[in-house]
Amino acid sequence: ELKVEQNPLFLSMQEGKNYTIYCNYSTTSDRLYWYRQDPGKSLESLFVLLSNGAVKQEGRLMASLDTKARLSTLHITAAVHDLSATYFCAVDEGGGADGLTFGKGTHLIIQP
Amino acid sequence: KAGVTQTPRYLIKTRGQQVTLSCSPISGHRSVSWYQQTPGQGLQFLFEYFSETQRNKGNFPGRFSGRQFSNSRSEMNVSTLELGDSALYLCASSWGDRSYEQYFGPGTRLTVT
């Protein structure tokens, strides 16, 4: 059974600081997704990582994937209040099996 | 390009009743997946449909069922509702027959009393 673990689960940080969210998963996969969810809202796709060594950046967010270590990171640079949200990573085992398996999410609060 | 739409957005039902939720995928997308989100269990995969066929099903009881129509619209049904079925039900659509990037709808908030 695929397990996806995110840490930390809660993170409070100040504007202007850098931080990294980690996503570990338990089985071989080369497809990993990052989503953002605002309170009471749906999931917004942030990044799709499809191969080992993939790195994608959008504004102050950068995601990377190391399939050998079964690890993905979401790095926040010079955080701003608008990035406050819950961030989920999700892994696809492939072959369409069992849909996406999500981590529990990282609840991020950025203090102005 | 219109996004994924879900109806209704909010529902209140009583234990023992049944409910049907609807999802219209992005135009051209043929795969629809359903997820349940609760504070305790997080996001869990319910089932996936592609070209009117259920391809995969998550670990949910038989009270949860679904179908997909020829226009790719999908419905899910929950019979004999229980309090624990209270959740946000999210539908996601994608283009292909694998879990390519999935685009999520706004969700249906179901409350069972």
Side-chain angles (χ1 to χ4, degrees):
Chain A
E1 179 189 347
L2 171 60
K3 293 190 189 307
V4 180
E5 292 187 357
Q6 278 183 245
N7 69 83
L9 296 182
F10 297 95
L11 177 57
S12 179
M13 55 192 292
Q14 289 186 316
E15 281 191 322
K17 299 291 187 182
N18 304 332
Y19 210 83
T20 300
I21 299 170
Y22 297 88
C23 175
N24 290 92
Y25 54 97
S26 63
T27 191
T28 305
S29 173
D30 59 359
R31 289 178 178 268
L32 190 136
Y33 305 81
W34 284 96
Y35 290 92
R36 167 182 172 149
Q37 187 176 40
D38 292 298
K41 304 287 187 178
S42 186
L43 297 174
E44 174 191 354
S45 178
L46 294 174
F47 300 107
V48 180
L49 303 170
L50 300 178
S51 61
N52 186 41
V55 177
K56 291 196 173 180
Q57 183 165 5
E58 180 73 33
R60 300 176 188 273
L61 300 178
M62 183 173 71
S64 66
L65 177 62
D66 181 342
T67 58
K68 293 179 181 177
R70 299 179 183 173
L71 171 68
S72 179
T73 61
L74 179 66
H75 187 73
I76 303 158
T77 301
V80 293
H81 179 65
D82 287 351
L83 290 178
S84 297
T86 299
Y87 293 85
F88 292 93
C89 65
V91 177
D92 173 13
E93 271 191 273
D98 297 334
L100 295 178
T101 301
F102 283 83
K104 290 189 180 299
T106 296
H107 184 51
L108 175 62
I109 297 173
I110 300 172
Q111 313 274 7
Chain B
K1 191 174 186 180
V4 179
T5 59
Q6 291 186 246
T7 57
R9 294 291 311 279
Y10 303 92
L11 263 181
I12 300 176
K13 289 286 188 178
T14 304
R15 274 181 300 176
Q17 289 185 315
Q18 74 166 21
V19 67
T20 299
L21 312 181
S22 179
C23 170
S24 293
I26 292 171
S27 178
H29 285 191
R30 295 190 296 163
S31 173
V32 172
S33 298
W34 289 88
Y35 294 84
Q36 181 197 64
Q37 185 176 28
T38 60
Q41 299 299 317
L43 280 150
Q44 294 184 285
F45 170 72
L46 278 158
F47 25 64
E48 178 194 3
Y49 288 88
F50 179 77
S51 294
E52 302 179 66
T53 301
Q54 185 182 91
R55 296 189 67 243
N56 295 294
K57 183 169 178 170
N59 189 24
F60 279 83
R63 300 185 295 108
F64 291 81
S65 63
R67 57 179 176 168
Q68 186 180 33
F69 301 96
S70 59
N71 62 357
S72 294
R73 188 177 71 86
S74 177
E75 289 181 347
M76 68 163 280
N77 184 276
V78 188
S79 62
T80 319
L81 284 166
E82 301 177 359
L83 294 179
D85 297 333
S86 296
L88 179 66
Y89 289 89
L90 293 165
C91 160
S93 79
S94 62
W95 181 84
D97 61 352
R98 285 191 58 188
S99 296
Y100 287 108
E101 183 170 10
Q102 298 192 9
Y103 296 86
F104 282 81
T108 294
R109 173 80 58 187
L110 172 64
T111 301
V112 181
T113 63

